[in-house]
Amino acid sequence: MAYDESKVINGTHGYLWLDGDLIQEVQSVKATITPKTETVSQSGEMVDGTKVTGLECKGELKTNKINSRWIKLMSDSLKAGKQRSFTIISKLADPSNGGTERVKLTGCVFTELPLIDWELKKLAEESLNFNFKNWEVLDSIE
């Protein structure tokens, strides 16, 4: 199959839902899984092996600030010492590509709450880091 540059996916056609609500102010989202590993040495071998012992699931969500959404979603539970979790669904579907990729993240817990972050003559943005417990690929691009 020949490489077709028109099939490179453009993030302009990305969408994000948080607990079923479309977050149209989203600017970027990233979720990564990093294997936790332990070194395994073996007699007679100069190079150590690696054993996966767990997974670290983290993400980052960036939005334009258009309201106090995040403060309203998290302030009360944080003050009460309660952990609130969310479900995130990301959809990426570029019309030039013809495919759709959807990924569902569950057990999402935001690890920080931006209360104040602005600067004169700059558009206000919010950046939220989160951890997640599980993921499911709902649709993939072939």
Side-chain angles (χ1 to χ4, degrees), residues 27-93:
Q27 291 299 297
S28 68
V29 64
K30 179 179 180 180
T32 58
I33 301 162
T34 305
K36 294 181 183 180
T37 60
E38 294 287 333
T39 300
V40 179
S41 298
Q42 183 176 345
S43 176
E45 293 290 329
M46 294 297 294
V47 178
D48 289 335
T50 302
K51 172 73 175 176
V52 174
T53 59
L55 299 174
E56 183 177 69
C57 301
K58 291 187 172 192
E60 181 182 28
L61 176 63
K62 291 182 182 178
T63 66
N64 287 325
K65 183 170 181 69
I66 61 168
N67 55 33
S68 299
R69 175 193 305 274
W70 307 110
I71 293 172
K72 289 178 183 178
L73 277 175
M74 294 187 285
S75 281
D76 290 344
S77 58
L78 288 174
K79 284 182 177 183
K82 296 178 182 176
Q83 179 171 300
R84 182 165 178 200
S85 66
F86 301 90
T87 297
I88 292 174
I89 295 179
S90 169
K91 176 183 175 185
L92 190 55

Side-chain angles (χ1 to χ4, degrees), residues 7 10 12 14 16-17 31 39 42 44 53 58-59 61 66 73 88-89 96 100 106 111 117 122-123 134:
K7 298 290 186 190
N10 178 350
T12 299
L16 183 123
W17 289 265
T39 300
Q42 183 176 345
T53 59
K58 291 187 172 192
L61 176 63
I66 61 168
L73 277 175
I88 292 174
I89 295 179
S96 292
T100 298
T106 55
T111 57
D117 186 5
K122 290 200 174 183
L123 297 176
N134 206 350

Side-chain angles (χ1 to χ4, degrees), residues 78-135:
L78 288 174
K79 284 182 177 183
K82 296 178 182 176
Q83 179 171 300
R84 182 165 178 200
S85 66
F86 301 90
T87 297
I88 292 174
I89 295 179
S90 169
K91 176 183 175 185
L92 190 55
D94 187 325
S96 292
N97 180 283
T100 298
E101 179 180 85
R102 287 189 317 136
V103 177
K104 179 180 180 179
L105 307 176
T106 55
C108 300
V109 176
F110 290 100
T111 57
E112 56 188 23
L113 171 60
L115 288 176
I116 301 169
D117 186 5
W118 58 269
E119 189 175 333
L120 290 178
K121 297 186 180 186
K122 290 200 174 183
L123 297 176
E125 294 182 334
E126 294 180 296
S127 181
L128 298 107
N129 292 316
F130 62 91
N131 297 328
F132 59 98
K133 295 281 286 178
N134 206 350
W135 70 96

